[in-house]
Amino acid sequence: MIPSNGVGGMFGSLAAIAGPAMMLIIALRQGGPVRKLLKAHADAPERARKAATLGITDPPLQPLIRAGVVVREEDGRVWVDRLRARKRQWRIAAIIGASVMLIAAVVALLLSL
């Protein structure tokens, strides 16, 4: 592969960053099962809802159920455990923040060479 050192290389680098960033933005704007359940106030066993009535399919719920963020009642209704959802959100944010800081540190180190 021939290295590109001009405007083409700059646009290639920009596309490598912009593509995944746009996919992340689109995913965040759409919202997931937790957001839909919270919007429907399904945050306690007595306010649990059927996932199908909210347009939520089963595959996206499975990891959330395993993590304990979403609780499935015996009758099939689901609800969000707000405390676990908040803890999971903070954990994910910490991992993403640490990753961004690590990448920034590596880039700064490479630029200083």
Side-chain angles (χ1 to χ4, degrees), residues 55-103:
I56 302 171
T57 58
D58 200 42
L61 280 178
Q62 289 307 315
L64 296 168
I65 291 171
R66 282 192 302 270
V69 173
V70 174
V71 180
R72 186 185 304 264
E73 296 294 326
E74 289 181 15
D75 61 359
R77 294 178 304 135
V78 293
W79 58 279
V80 175
D81 182 337
R82 283 187 179 268
L83 180 61
R84 286 191 179 181
R86 193 174 308 120
K87 285 181 181 179
R88 184 173 187 261
Q89 187 176 18
W90 275 102
R91 188 171 50 249
I92 290 170
I95 290 169
I96 290 172
S99 300
V100 168
M101 289 176 66
L102 179 64
I103 291 168

